Amino acid sequence: MNKFIFPLALCCPPVVAFSTSQLPLSDKVAATFPKINTNCYIIVNLDTKVVLTEKNSQHVVDSGTFRTIYGGQETITLYEMSLLATGEGIKFFESPMSGVGCACKYKNKHGAMFLCLIYGEATQFEAYKDCAQVNKWLDQFYIYESSETEDVKIPVLYGIRNISKTGCAKKNFIMSINLNNRINKIYRYRTIMKAPINKNEDIGYIMYYTVLFKNPIVTKIYNTEYIKKKIWFKCVYDSVKYLIFGS
């Protein structure tokens, strides 16, 4: 893998959002997507929490009987519906305004788990048929678990520690068996920091470029422990030392 480095509700559990910033799919992968009857769908890889592909998923629709099954508002987007759809198997819903839809959890032959949510079909049979086509298309994908550690060391001025301990979320990637699955990484982070620094403070990010999407998948880099500021005369010493020797 190539590396390019550049400086740079309380009582309820939060709903984990699905990433969309990496969309759309690359032209090569998008060309293989099956021709289905509806133009309103969203497909999420649940292992990596990324939206694999979508169409009109931010448009507001009538939830119809979806809210009877999963909850939600009377008007809702497909993206919001994907956050609510739980349980296994396939479930159908419908609305006089928006037609027939279905939510389907699918584990493909490589063990990757997906949620396929489509709406705007004429009948349950059409919805089922389109979902089956999408599931067949999903069999090309698998999950790559990265074993690499991201070792980013950032100098700290005026702190009781002079190097920040950093961390980032472990990355798993959705890949295709039909592609050259090379990953390029670009780091962007602060080149020096001043104490005090809070635990879990964001200090940069990593952009992962894959051939699956046109845009990168972004992961934040954060400080893993609180760094207290030194007493004033040691801060003065650090300032002089920095002016003479740099970081």
Side-chain angles (χ1 to χ4, degrees), residues 1-235:
M1 298 182 184
N2 291 344
K3 295 183 180 181
F4 304 93
I5 301 178
F6 291 82
L8 170 102
L10 296 182
C11 62
C12 299
V15 175
V16 177
F18 300 134
S19 173
T20 59
S21 59
Q22 72 284 346
L23 295 173
L25 283 172
S26 66
D27 293 338
K28 186 173 183 179
V29 181
T32 68
F33 190 76
K35 292 182 179 179
I36 58 178
N37 294 307
T38 182
N39 61 356
C40 194
Y41 57 82
I42 184 170
I43 301 163
V44 179
N45 174 242
L46 299 175
D47 306 282
T48 58
K49 308 300 182 188
V50 302
V51 176
L52 183 60
T53 187
E54 62 81 39
K55 191 169 184 181
N56 296 321
S57 67
Q58 296 295 344
H59 290 192
V60 175
V61 297
D62 178 53
S63 60
T65 57
F66 178 92
R67 66 181 178 274
T68 305
I69 303 170
Y70 298 109
Q73 303 299 315
E74 185 174 351
T75 57
I76 195 170
T77 67
L78 254 67
Y79 178 85
E80 292 167 333
M81 292 165 79
S82 72
L83 300 174
L84 297 172
T86 57
E88 302 302 320
I90 184 169
K91 294 180 181 179
F92 295 94
F93 46 89
E94 60 184 278
S95 158
M97 295 179 62
S98 302
V100 177
C102 68
C104 174
K105 293 280 183 68
Y106 176 65
K107 188 174 185 178
N108 76 2
K109 62 184 181 181
H110 301 292
M113 182 65 73
F114 297 90
L115 168 66
C116 173
L117 200 155
I118 60 180
Y119 214 176
E121 301 278 8
T123 64
Q124 284 193 9
F125 176 75
E126 293 295 329
Y128 179 82
K129 186 173 68 173
D130 281 352
C131 189
Q133 287 190 80
V134 171
N135 288 347
K136 185 177 180 180
W137 176 76
L138 290 173
D139 276 337
Q140 69 179 290
F141 299 105
Y142 68 96
I143 304 303
Y144 168 71
E145 297 184 4
S146 176
S147 60
E148 287 193 353
T149 57
E150 310 297 349
D151 188 18
V152 177
K153 293 183 173 64
I154 302 175
V156 177
L157 284 177
Y158 315 138
I160 58 172
R161 299 185 69 254
N162 58 11
I163 295 291
S164 170
K165 288 186 177 180
T166 61
C168 66
K170 181 183 177 182
K171 287 307 298 180
N172 294 336
F173 299 92
I174 179 74
M175 300 288 196
S176 169
I177 59 175
N178 300 323
L179 299 174
N180 174 10
N181 292 307
R182 188 180 185 88
I183 301 173
N184 290 330
K185 294 187 286 187
I186 294 180
Y187 293 75
R188 295 193 183 277
Y189 55 85
R190 294 155 64 177
T191 55
I192 194 167
M193 296 186 295
K194 295 180 182 180
I197 305 170
N198 294 323
K199 184 178 180 180
N200 296 326
E201 181 175 335
D202 291 343
I203 56 180
Y205 54 91
I206 308 171
M207 296 182 291
Y208 297 90
Y209 285 88
T210 72
V211 294
L212 194 60
F213 300 107
K214 288 188 176 181
N215 294 307
I217 298 168
V218 179
T219 297
K220 291 181 179 179
I221 305 171
Y222 56 87
N223 188 57
T224 59
E225 63 181 17
Y226 174 70
I227 300 179
K228 186 179 179 180
K229 190 174 182 179
K230 293 178 181 177
I231 55 179
W232 71 269
F233 63 86
K234 289 188 177 181
C235 291

